[in-house]
Structure formats: structure tokens, C-alpha cells
Amino acid sequence: KQWYQRRVRGVPVWPDGGYFMLVDTGPMGWDFTAENTGRCYDVDCVKWLTREFKLATIPISVFYGDQNRHLAAKYIRVCCAKSDATIDKACEIIRSLRKA
């Protein structure tokens, strides 16, 4: 927990166990409305992170039905079962993208 908070200063949602954690991307200030894709925010977000920065994450809204998809629209899923070097690089990328 502490490595993420020190390195990224984002808003993680910590699981009790497992290899994944959720990150609330709302405080990051990223805006994908200009892309006008009709997709949920998190889907556009993960596609952008992968396309532009080779940072693969998972959208959460795809696990929800149409009526509740908005509940997860700002969250992305991140795998923590990586080497320290890989996690450090991912944190560096995310930190560089965060709005002040």
C-alpha cells in the first residue's frame, strides 16, 4: 500500500488479497470527452494508457450491466503481480500524467 501512495499519490482501493487493485482515476483530471466514442470513461482511459504509454490496465465498467456501469466508470484495474522495476515504471508514467 505504501509504495503506491508514495510513488503515485493517487486514490487506490485496496483489496484484502489478490493480484489486482482498483484505482479511482477521477482525481487525475483526465478528459476523454473530445474523443466522442460513446464508450464509458474507463474504457477510453485504458485504451489511451495502452496506446500512448504501453501501460496495460483493465476497465471496470465492462463487469457491470448497462444500468450500473456508471458506478465503475472512473475506476481502472491494475495488476500488482509484477516486478518492482515494472511497478516503478508504471508509477512513473501515471505520476507524469497527473494534473496538478
Side-chain angles (χ1 to χ4, degrees):
K1 292 179 184 181
Q2 293 174 352
W3 64 262
Y4 183 85
Q5 290 168 328
R6 281 193 316 267
R7 295 175 184 165
V8 177
R9 294 179 187 88
V11 182
V13 178
W14 299 110
D16 289 331
Y19 297 106
F20 294 92
M21 67 178 218
L22 301 182
V23 176
D24 179 357
T25 61
M28 299 301 212
W30 301 332
D31 184 10
F32 303 104
T33 55
E35 294 184 27
N36 199 25
T37 64
R39 296 184 297 237
C40 240
Y41 173 93
D42 63 330
V43 175
D44 287 335
C45 180
V46 301
K47 288 182 176 287
W48 174 69
L49 289 170
T50 303
R51 181 180 63 243
E52 299 295 327
F53 305 99
K54 308 295 187 248
L55 183 62
T57 57
I58 302 165
I60 299 301
S61 68
V62 298
F63 296 106
Y64 286 71
D66 290 339
Q67 292 181 337
N68 294 315
R69 192 162 283 141
H70 68 281
L71 298 172
K74 294 285 183 167
Y75 291 88
I76 59 174
R77 189 174 178 192
V78 179
C79 180
C80 297
K82 304 289 182 184
S83 70
D84 286 347
T86 299
I87 291 172
D88 286 341
K89 181 64 177 169
C91 289
E92 180 183 314
I93 291 168
I94 293 170
R95 191 173 41 246
S96 72
L97 300 174
R98 186 156 190 232
K99 285 191 172 183

